[in-house]
Amino acid sequence: MADEKKDVSRRDFLKTAGVATGALVGGGVIGGLIGYNAKDGGTATDDEERSGGRADQSAGSPGGRMFFTNDHDFNVLSEATERIFPEDDLGPGAIGLGVPYFIDHQLAGAYGNNEKEYMQGPFYGGEATQGYQSRLRRKDIFLQGIHKMEQEAQSRFEKSFTELEGEQMDEIITAFQKDEVEMQGVAAGFFFRLLRSAVLEGAYSDPMYGGNVGMEGWKMKGFPGHQAAYIDKIESEEFEEIDPQSLGGHH
C-alpha cells in the first residue's frame, strides 16, 4: 500500500486541501507545508536560479519596504517564504506574489507591534494548544527567527541561508517547525507557525495590502475577489468564470 501512495507536493496540497482563500490559517490546521510533511524538494523552481538574492526586488510591490532596513534580513525572509509557497506550473510562488513585502508591511504596523493584544506581564510558558504567549512582539520574533535561520545555515553548512540549496533550506525551516532550534522568549515552532500563516495570508489577501500581486493567488484558486454584485450571473445554470476584483480597484 505504501508504494501505491502518491507523494503530494506543497502546492498540490494547498490546491486539494481546500484552504479558504483569504482565511487565517492557524498552527496545526493544515499541518506543515514543508519538510517532513511534504515531498522532498517540493515543486520549487530551480535552486540555482532562486539563490543569490533574487528576492531583493522591489518591482511589483507598492511602497517598497517599510520595516526591514537590512537587505540580507529581507532576502533570508524572502527565500524562506518561497520554500513554503514555491513557484510551479500552477503559478507564482511567494516571491512572485509579493509575500515578503506583505509581511514587511504587516510588521511595520499594528500586526508587528501587537497593538490589539494585551502585552503586560506576568508571562508564563504557554501550552502548545494556547495562542500568543510570548512577551515579544511579532516584529521582534520575526527578526530573531530570521537571524536564527542565518545562524543555523552558517553552523550547518558554512554558508549564508540565501546561498543554500533548497533541501538545505528545508532542513533548517523544518528544524524550526519541530522546535529543535533554541530561541529566546519564544518557541521556534511558534515562530514557524507565525511565518507559515503570514505566507498564506500574503498569498491570498487583497493586493492592496502588498501581497497577492496581480491577484495571481486568487486566480490560482478561481476566487472572484470583491465583486460589487452577482445579479447578472446568479441565475446562470453554467459555471461562471469571473475575473477577480480587488478592493483597491486593480484588475
Side-chain angles (χ1 to χ4, degrees), residues 204-226:
Y204 295 123
S205 64
D206 193 284
M208 68 184 294
Y209 297 108
N212 191 13
V213 171
M215 293 178 285
E216 291 297 328
W218 289 350
K219 292 174 184 177
M220 285 187 280
K221 282 288 190 181
F223 180 66
H226 306 285

Side-chain angles (χ1 to χ4, degrees), residues 174-220:
T174 301
F176 280 85
Q177 181 184 12
K178 293 182 176 181
D179 247 338
E180 295 174 351
V181 178
E182 184 176 350
M183 294 182 64
Q184 301 298 317
V186 66
F190 183 73
F191 164 66
F192 170 82
R193 291 191 292 274
L194 278 182
L195 175 62
R196 182 186 61 186
S197 294
V199 169
L200 295 178
E201 290 159 19
Y204 295 123
S205 64
D206 193 284
M208 68 184 294
Y209 297 108
N212 191 13
V213 171
M215 293 178 285
E216 291 297 328
W218 289 350
K219 292 174 184 177
M220 285 187 280

Side-chain angles (χ1 to χ4, degrees), residues 101-121:
Y101 289 93
F102 168 84
I103 295 175
D104 171 85
H105 296 177
Q106 294 301 307
L107 292 178
Y111 170 85
N113 288 296
N114 296 66
E115 291 182 3
K116 295 186 178 181
E117 280 90 4
Y118 182 80
M119 296 296 292
Q120 303 300 314

Side-chain angles (χ1 to χ4, degrees), residues 5 18 29 33 38 43 50 55 64 73 101 110 122-123 144 186 221 223 226 233-234 240 248:
K5 292 182 179 179
V29 176
L33 300 183
T43 54
R50 291 183 56 256
D73 287 349
Y101 289 93
F123 297 95
Q144 183 186 168
V186 66
K221 282 288 190 181
F223 180 66
H226 306 285
K233 299 179 177 64
I234 195 168
E240 296 284 344

Side-chain angles (χ1 to χ4, degrees), residues 48-160:
E48 292 181 1
E49 177 183 334
R50 291 183 56 256
S51 64
R54 181 174 68 87
D56 191 21
Q57 300 177 10
S58 59
S61 181
R65 299 205 308 252
M66 299 179 182
F67 176 73
F68 287 97
T69 58
N70 183 288
D71 289 345
H72 185 69
D73 287 349
F74 184 73
N75 289 343
V76 170
L77 169 70
S78 298
E79 295 297 342
T81 65
E82 185 74 9
R83 292 310 299 173
I84 294 173
F85 198 102
E87 178 182 358
D88 62 11
D89 58 349
L90 295 176
I95 292 176
L97 290 170
V99 169
Y101 289 93
F102 168 84
I103 295 175
D104 171 85
H105 296 177
Q106 294 301 307
L107 292 178
Y111 170 85
N113 288 296
N114 296 66
E115 291 182 3
K116 295 186 178 181
E117 280 90 4
Y118 182 80
M119 296 296 292
Q120 303 300 314
F123 297 95
Y124 300 100
E127 299 296 328
T129 54
Q130 292 180 299
Y132 205 100
Q133 298 294 315
S134 176
R135 69 180 66 211
L136 301 178
R137 300 186 185 277
R138 291 187 187 91
K139 62 182 181 182
D140 300 317
I141 293 176
F142 268 83
L143 279 178
Q144 183 186 168
I146 290 169
H147 294 163
K148 286 288 185 178
M149 282 194 287
E150 176 66 15
Q151 290 175 14
E152 287 295 311
Q154 297 288 350
S155 175
R156 294 172 187 239
F157 306 109
E158 298 182 349
K159 292 182 179 179
S160 171

